Amino acid sequence: MSDPAERKGISRRGLIGAAGAAVATGVAGYAAHSVLAGEASQAADANGPVEFHGPHQAGIVTAVQDRLHFAAFDVTTTKRDELVALLKEWTAAAALLTAGRDIGQYGAVNGPGEAPPEDTGEAVGLPPARLTLTIGFGPSLFDKRFGLAGKRPAALVDLPHFIGDDLDPNRSGGDIAVQACSDDPQVAVHAIRNLARIGFGRVAVRYSQLGFGRTSSTSRAQTTPRNLFGFKDGTNNLKLEDADKLEQQVWVQPGDGAEWMAGGSYLVARRIRMNIEIWDRTSLGEQETIIGRGKGTGAPLGKADEFDPIDFAAKNADGEAKIPMDSHIRLAHPQFNNGAELLRRGYNFVDGSDGLGRLDAGLFFLAYQRDPRKQFIPVQTQLARTDTLNEYIHHVGSGIFACPGGVTPGSYWGEKLFA
Amino acid sequence: MSDPAERKGISRRGLIGAAGAAVATGVAGYAAHSVLAGEASQAADANGPVEFHGPHQAGIVTAVQDRLHFAAFDVTTTKRDELVALLKEWTAAAALLTAGRDIGQYGAVNGPGEAPPEDTGEAVGLPPARLTLTIGFGPSLFDKRFGLAGKRPAALVDLPHFIGDDLDPNRSGGDIAVQACSDDPQVAVHAIRNLARIGFGRVAVRYSQLGFGRTSSTSRAQTTPRNLFGFKDGTNNLKLEDADKLEQQVWVQPGDGAEWMAGGSYLVARRIRMNIEIWDRTSLGEQETIIGRGKGTGAPLGKADEFDPIDFAAKNADGEAKIPMDSHIRLAHPQFNNGAELLRRGYNFVDGSDGLGRLDAGLFFLAYQRDPRKQFIPVQTQLARTDTLNEYIHHVGSGIFACPGGVTPGSYWGEKLFA
């Protein structure tokens, strides 16, 4: 691996071997190159780049992209300096990758052809496809290895055992998580692969998960997608247009504790296996009663349109609540959770089949929040206890990560944590 | 499951509950409904439908879509009549799905809400996204169960063991394969899921594989994509524009034997795991020597452009062949394989990580051909013996399937086989 100060991004749209024009990465010591001609036009392009730098990390409120590659890493080095060096290299690479650039030359480090290519190459020619890379630090990073124990935020709790949890330790935890989202899976895979490669000898992939078909919207400009139960998912999700609510519910505020987390957010990731074959044998009426919405329209039961306000007090002629007491949308609603909301940006997954001829399918749930103690944990505690949907789902993987605030030019992922 | 004669396709673009307009499926007994207003405009749409009926099955020479869901099924019924009934139901459903329709009502079979929805619903609102569904029959279907032993084509051989094969029986074989290709993974997953569901009690999924980032083009209108080694793949693939070559190399001709296969093709599917972490540590020069092409340009070594003709006789100043004798493009080239070519339409895959922190990544190889005895088998025998690339790949799954000719209105998948 070359010294990161020499890493030059190559436009994937240009020819290999073109002069090594690179975006400014902002990291001290990195050469800032002029932006390639034609680059500006990408910003307005649906395939274009999402700005990497800013007060918050991209990939949280960013309008949800269509594809996911999520990776959790174990840190294998025990040296704090090596970890910091890696985070600097990763930050520089992430700035290039999200700009739609490869992370370096093809073997030009020690002369043409004599070294491995710096970039693995499978994204050459592909546009940025709105790639975002979002980092988070898991509770285990704050053990004795790196002197970070005193920096662990109180909100970065170990998640409790919820009723019904059936967690696979090999799909849970992780010292560091990187969420790659893009409209092109090859771009997302390329990013995670190259970060893993840069980290060789310092981190190892603990688990990774591909996803498709975003199961939430984070912008009113997006339609509401459907999950693998066939229902619209995320109708009442937090949206990037609701700036005030984001401050209340998503972004860690100064004074929340752990000042290095200001402007950041806490991510809870849950691999939720869906028993879709069993669900598919359930009647439409039962499905709609369990969810609390119409399957076709997505409207709350008793209403006509997806975005009609939910009337939890409405009753049928028989006196029963139109939105049943144990329906998912009631139990998960902020009205019954002390106002707690989550910014969800999960993905559907199908990882082939299991040994019993069933699709290994489900929802890779990703939720960002200001404080899991007040948001995910109480909501999930209630859902795990009473949600009828539990007959059709199992939580089989789990992680919690502290995602710091945004990277400003000149800083790197986690700089305030290690300061 | 309702009687297939009552299955009515629902436009995914319309409202649920709209009058059950359906395309004509061609199967006797199916109601032919008028095409919905606005339907015609889809044909010219990149998100539009690919015609299901025709002299050949769609999904073979069809310009390769971006996503794959491939499923191999074991037939669990022992009754020939039940298998035929299933193939009829599948054909009708496939005609609807590829037209961008759901396969039935939402619970309207026994009155609203009292039955499970006929369609699982997750593709509601999504366009056809060029979905194709292609069926093939494996050697095991021709055992004693269904009276088909006498119909087994001589060309549908059991593949021999190739040097280096490390096949997982749980990812190999299968009585029936269905290849779903679409530009939208949710559409492809929805199709396989609903076919599996229709088949409940008669077939069970043996294995399934998702793929992304097509690794070949089948049309000159498509650019050449890159595989996970970072190289352009499929530059010299057979193309749909080469009608004469397709007759010679892809389509089974009358007189080839097994008349029910005329107009069909033989599919070889191989799950090829790539050791990408090891490959990534190989020098650029070594990578290019192994493949025989430049990594950036995709040009044959010694040439400038991807589509420059390969000059296998050209020598470097030191007298060595510019395209090394053990390079992949030489060993796989028709010039050194008695003219044998393959129509490849494989996909990249990443199925998370293995237990050693490596990405479970590779190429799901799909190749169509007129006779595997003259095409895939001799080519792969040579490659398995001498290709330097074998240090970086392992074949871990394998299947061979006889894919019959196209479905004409009024017929069903495999009708000539069961006639």
Side-chain angles (χ1 to χ4, degrees):
Chain A
M1 196 56 52
S2 71
D3 184 291
E6 295 186 20
R7 192 185 298 286
K8 290 175 174 58
I10 306 294
S11 168
R12 296 202 300 242
R13 293 189 163 181
L15 284 174
I16 307 306
V23 292
T25 64
V27 175
Y30 279 71
H33 294 259
S34 61
V35 172
L36 284 183
E39 200 77 3
S41 65
Q42 290 185 11
D45 183 348
N47 271 327
V50 173
E51 177 59 43
F52 177 70
H53 297 106
H56 305 296
Q57 286 195 75
I60 299 176
V61 301
T62 305
V64 187
Q65 301 94 323
D66 279 348
R67 310 287 181 264
L68 169 77
H69 192 180
F70 181 91
F73 295 90
D74 292 325
V75 180
T76 52
T77 181
T78 55
K79 299 198 174 89
R80 179 181 168 119
D81 287 353
E82 287 190 0
L83 176 56
V84 169
L86 171 64
L87 290 167
K88 289 179 180 176
E89 286 185 57
W90 268 5
T91 307
L96 293 167
L97 290 163
T98 54
R101 291 167 183 281
D102 287 323
I103 57 165
Q105 306 281 355
Y106 280 81
V109 180
N110 298 317
E114 292 173 17
E118 288 182 297
D119 187 283
T120 57
E122 72 270 23
V124 169
L126 300 180
R130 298 203 302 127
L131 174 69
T132 55
L133 294 165
T134 312
I135 199 167
F137 303 116
S140 54
L141 193 72
F142 297 86
D143 61 12
K144 296 177 181 172
R145 288 173 293 170
F146 309 108
L148 298 173
K151 295 266 198 148
R152 179 172 172 174
L156 186 66
V157 293
D158 294 307
L159 290 176
H161 174 87
F162 299 103
I163 295 172
D165 272 4
D166 184 18
L167 304 182
D168 177 352
N170 294 320
R171 290 188 186 271
S172 299
D175 292 329
I176 302 179
V178 179
Q179 169 198 282
C181 296
S182 168
D183 290 330
D184 185 333
Q186 186 126 335
V187 168
V189 162
H190 172 261
I192 292 293
R193 175 186 181 181
N194 280 274
L195 294 182
R197 185 167 174 247
I198 290 170
F200 181 73
R202 294 174 285 186
V203 291
V205 176
R206 182 175 173 85
Y207 57 92
S208 77
Q209 177 71 54
L210 271 75
F212 63 89
R214 61 184 172 83
T215 57
S216 278
S217 311
T218 54
S219 167
R220 296 196 203 289
Q222 298 186 294
T223 56
T224 308
R226 288 176 186 271
N227 61 29
L228 293 180
F229 283 151
F231 276 77
K232 292 191 181 184
D233 199 339
T235 297
N236 283 335
N237 197 27
L238 290 171
K239 302 290 199 299
L240 64 88
E241 290 85 356
D242 303 329
D244 287 351
K245 266 205 172 170
L246 296 180
E247 296 298 333
Q248 294 163 23
Q249 301 278 349
V250 176
W251 303 125
V252 176
Q253 302 294 318
D256 279 357
E259 285 309 300
W260 66 270
M261 272 295 289
S265 192
Y266 294 92
L267 167 63
V268 172
R270 306 279 287 185
R271 188 174 193 269
I272 304 175
R273 173 79 189 270
M274 290 173 161
N275 302 320
I276 60 173
E277 290 82 0
I278 299 173
W279 178 260
D280 286 347
R281 281 172 230 147
T282 307
S283 76
L284 175 66
E286 177 79 1
Q287 291 184 7
E288 293 184 335
T289 299
I290 290 168
I291 301 295
R293 290 185 182 275
K295 189 164 191 175
T297 59
L301 292 179
K303 301 279 185 150
D305 292 318
E306 180 191 350
F307 292 101
D308 283 345
I310 307 177
D311 181 358
F312 288 113
K315 291 194 170 19
N316 287 321
D318 60 4
E320 295 290 316
K322 284 190 177 179
I323 310 287
M325 302 308 287
D326 58 354
S327 66
H328 186 70
I329 66 165
R330 180 186 288 267
L331 294 170
H333 197 273
Q335 189 174 324
F336 304 103
N337 288 281
N338 294 315
E341 299 190 52
L342 298 165
L343 184 130
R344 285 166 290 144
R345 46 180 299 135
Y347 287 84
N348 298 325
F349 70 82
V350 176
D351 291 343
S353 312
D354 66 15
L356 299 172
R358 302 173 303 200
L359 291 180
D360 181 2
L363 173 69
F364 196 71
F365 174 92
L366 296 166
Y368 288 90
Q369 57 215 284
R370 184 174 166 187
D371 190 339
R373 296 170 296 180
K374 298 175 184 169
Q375 294 169 273
F376 178 78
I377 293 173
V379 173
Q380 179 58 21
T381 299
Q382 168 152 282
L383 287 174
R385 194 181 293 136
T386 47
D387 191 355
T388 318
L389 198 56
N390 293 324
E391 294 178 25
Y392 304 93
I393 62 177
H394 293 283
H395 288 234
V396 295
S398 179
I400 183 169
F401 303 95
C403 306
V407 177
T408 51
S411 74
Y412 65 90
W413 273 341
E415 184 173 35
K416 288 181 183 162
L417 170 60
F418 287 92
Chain B
M1 194 55 50
S2 68
D3 185 288
E6 295 185 20
R7 192 185 299 287
K8 289 176 176 60
I10 305 296
S11 169
R12 296 203 300 243
R13 293 189 162 181
L15 283 175
I16 308 307
V23 292
T25 63
V27 176
Y30 280 70
H33 294 259
S34 61
V35 172
L36 283 184
E39 200 79 3
S41 66
Q42 292 185 10
D45 182 348
N47 270 327
V50 173
E51 176 58 45
F52 177 70
H53 297 106
H56 305 296
Q57 287 196 74
I60 298 175
V61 301
T62 305
V64 187
Q65 301 94 324
D66 279 348
R67 311 287 181 262
L68 169 76
H69 192 182
F70 181 91
F73 295 89
D74 292 326
V75 180
T76 52
T77 179
T78 55
K79 300 198 174 87
R80 180 180 166 119
D81 287 352
E82 286 191 0
L83 176 55
V84 169
L86 170 63
L87 289 167
K88 288 179 179 175
E89 284 185 58
W90 268 5
T91 306
L96 293 167
L97 290 163
T98 55
R101 290 167 184 281
D102 287 324
I103 58 165
Q105 306 281 354
Y106 281 80
V109 179
N110 298 318
E114 293 174 17
E118 286 182 297
D119 188 282
T120 57
E122 71 271 23
V124 170
L126 300 179
R130 297 202 305 125
L131 175 69
T132 55
L133 293 165
T134 312
I135 199 167
F137 303 116
S140 54
L141 193 71
F142 298 86
D143 61 14
K144 296 176 180 173
R145 288 173 291 171
F146 309 108
L148 298 173
K151 295 266 198 147
R152 179 171 172 175
L156 185 67
V157 294
D158 293 305
L159 290 176
H161 174 87
F162 300 102
I163 296 172
D165 272 4
D166 185 19
L167 304 182
D168 177 353
N170 295 322
R171 289 187 186 272
S172 299
D175 292 329
I176 302 178
V178 178
Q179 170 198 282
C181 296
S182 168
D183 291 329
D184 185 333
Q186 185 128 335
V187 169
V189 162
H190 171 261
I192 292 294
R193 174 185 181 182
N194 280 273
L195 294 183
R197 184 166 175 250
I198 290 170
F200 180 74
R202 293 173 286 185
V203 293
V205 176
R206 181 175 173 85
Y207 56 92
S208 76
Q209 177 71 54
L210 271 76
F212 63 90
R214 62 185 172 83
T215 57
S216 280
S217 310
T218 54
S219 168
R220 295 194 203 291
Q222 298 187 293
T223 57
T224 309
R226 290 176 185 270
N227 61 30
L228 292 180
F229 284 151
F231 277 76
K232 292 190 181 185
D233 199 338
T235 298
N236 284 334
N237 197 28
L238 289 171
K239 302 290 199 297
L240 63 88
E241 291 86 357
D242 303 328
D244 287 352
K245 265 204 173 173
L246 296 180
E247 297 296 334
Q248 293 163 26
Q249 302 277 351
V250 175
W251 303 126
V252 176
Q253 302 293 317
D256 279 356
E259 285 310 298
W260 66 269
M261 272 294 290
S265 192
Y266 294 93
L267 167 64
V268 172
R270 306 280 286 185
R271 187 174 193 268
I272 304 175
R273 173 78 189 269
M274 290 174 160
N275 302 319
I276 60 173
E277 290 82 1
I278 299 173
W279 177 260
D280 286 346
R281 281 172 228 148
T282 308
S283 76
L284 176 67
E286 177 78 2
Q287 290 183 7
E288 294 184 335
T289 300
I290 290 168
I291 301 295
R293 292 185 180 274
K295 188 163 191 176
T297 59
L301 292 179
K303 302 280 185 155
D305 293 317
E306 179 192 350
F307 293 100
D308 283 345
I310 307 176
D311 181 357
F312 288 113
K315 291 193 171 14
N316 287 322
D318 61 4
E320 295 290 317
K322 284 190 176 179
I323 310 288
M325 302 308 287
D326 58 354
S327 65
H328 185 72
I329 66 165
R330 181 186 287 267
L331 295 170
H333 197 273
Q335 190 174 323
F336 305 103
N337 288 284
N338 293 314
E341 299 190 52
L342 298 165
L343 183 130
R344 287 166 286 144
R345 46 181 299 136
Y347 287 84
N348 298 326
F349 69 82
V350 177
D351 292 342
S353 312
D354 67 15
L356 300 172
R358 303 173 304 201
L359 291 179
D360 182 1
L363 174 70
F364 196 72
F365 174 93
L366 295 167
Y368 288 89
Q369 58 216 283
R370 183 174 166 190
D371 190 338
R373 295 169 298 180
K374 299 174 183 170
Q375 294 169 270
F376 177 77
I377 292 172
V379 172
Q380 179 58 19
T381 300
Q382 169 153 283
L383 288 173
R385 194 182 292 135
T386 48
D387 191 354
T388 318
L389 197 56
N390 294 324
E391 294 179 24
Y392 305 93
I393 61 177
H394 294 284
H395 288 234
V396 295
S398 179
I400 183 170
F401 303 95
C403 306
V407 177
T408 51
S411 74
Y412 64 91
W413 272 342
E415 184 173 36
K416 288 179 182 164
L417 170 59
F418 288 92

